[in-house]
Amino acid sequence: MNRPTNIRGPAQPPLAIVGHGPGESPAAVPPRATPPEEDSEQRTGRPSGDEQALERSAPQEAVLHAELRERTADLQRLKAEYDNYRKRVHRDRLAVGEIAVANVLSRLLPVLDSLAEAREQGEVTGGFQRIAEALHSELGALGLQPFGTVGDPFDPLIHEAITYIPDDTLEHATCTAVLRQGYRVGDRLLRPAQVIVAGEPPVGPS
C-alpha cells in the first residue's frame, strides 16, 4: 500500500534510523533542527541581530560621552563665572561701604579739630570730656585712624609740609611739629597731616 503524500505542506525530511539492540525495533529520530539565527548567519556570513545592535550602540555611546564632557565643561565654566561674580559683588559692596563711611567721617573732621583745640586750652573736662572720649571711641570702631606725631619721618604721601627748617644734625627729613592731625580709614587717606619738617639743608646748584 502506498504512503500518502501531503500535497499542501513542504516535503518532510526522511527519518533517521537509530541503531537498536537485539529484540528492539528500529526507532525513527527526527533530524536536529538548526537555530534560525545560526542558520541565517551560516547562510549569509553576516553577524547576528545582537552583534549588529552592539555595533550600532558603540558610536551612540561615544556621542553620549562627548556630550557629557561638553556639558560638564559648560557647568564648570558657569560655576567659575558665578564664583567670580560673587567675589566681585562682595568686593564692590565693601568698597561702597568704605566710601560711605569715609564720606561721613570726613564731615566730622572739623568737629575733631575743634575738640583738639579745646583740649589744648584745657576746656575738655568733666562730662564734656567723657563725651569727647566716647566720640573718639566710636569713630575708631568705624575705622578712623589718626596719624602724625612729632618725630615721624616725613612722607610726602601722607604729610603736608608747611615749613621746612634746615638742620645739620638730622640725616633725614623729620616732622618736628604737628599743626593739624591727619586721618585715614584703612588704606584710604582722608586728609594729610600738616607738619613742620626739619632736615639736611637742601643742596643748591654748584
Side-chain angles (χ1 to χ4, degrees):
M1 184 175 182
N2 294 333
R3 179 179 174 182
T5 303
N6 187 359
I7 61 175
R8 290 181 299 177
Q12 299 294 327
L15 300 178
I17 304 301
V18 180
H20 57 279
E24 296 180 356
S25 60
V29 178
R32 184 176 63 89
T34 303
E37 295 181 357
E38 179 181 353
D39 183 65
S40 174
E41 182 178 353
Q42 291 177 354
R43 289 198 309 268
T44 61
R46 297 177 181 177
S48 62
D50 294 341
E51 294 178 353
Q52 292 178 357
L54 291 175
E55 291 178 357
R56 289 193 300 268
S57 64
Q60 296 177 356
E61 184 176 356
V63 171
L64 291 177
H65 280 294
E67 292 181 353
L68 178 60
R69 288 192 298 268
E70 183 178 357
R71 298 297 181 269
T72 303
D74 292 340
L75 290 176
Q76 291 175 348
R77 286 193 298 268
L78 183 62
K79 182 179 181 300
E81 292 177 358
Y82 175 73
D83 291 339
N84 293 333
Y85 168 77
R86 185 177 57 183
K87 293 177 181 178
R88 184 171 62 253
V89 169
H90 180 68
R91 185 171 58 250
D92 294 343
R93 185 180 295 117
L94 292 178
V96 170
E98 291 178 356
I99 293 174
V101 171
N103 292 335
V104 173
L105 295 178
S106 297
R107 303 293 296 270
L108 293 176
L109 295 185
V111 178
L112 297 179
D113 293 338
S114 299
L115 287 176
E117 184 178 354
R119 184 179 291 107
E120 290 177 358
Q121 297 176 2
E123 298 177 355
V124 181
T125 59
F128 188 46
Q129 181 177 359
R130 289 193 296 271
I131 294 175
E133 292 175 354
L135 178 61
H136 281 89
S137 177
E138 292 299 327
L139 295 180
L142 292 176
L144 183 65
Q145 300 175 1
F147 66 89
T149 56
V150 176
D152 289 344
F154 174 72
D155 186 352
L157 296 178
I158 61 175
H159 295 139
E160 181 182 354
I162 302 301
T163 305
Y164 187 90
I165 301 175
D167 191 342
D168 295 335
T169 63
L170 298 176
E171 296 181 357
H172 304 286
T174 305
C175 299
T176 58
V178 179
L179 305 179
R180 190 182 69 177
Q181 198 80 42
Y183 290 96
R184 61 190 169 196
V185 177
D187 297 333
R188 185 182 300 275
L189 180 66
L190 297 184
R191 77 176 185 191
Q194 291 183 351
V195 296
I196 296 177
V197 182
E200 293 181 338
V203 179
S206 56

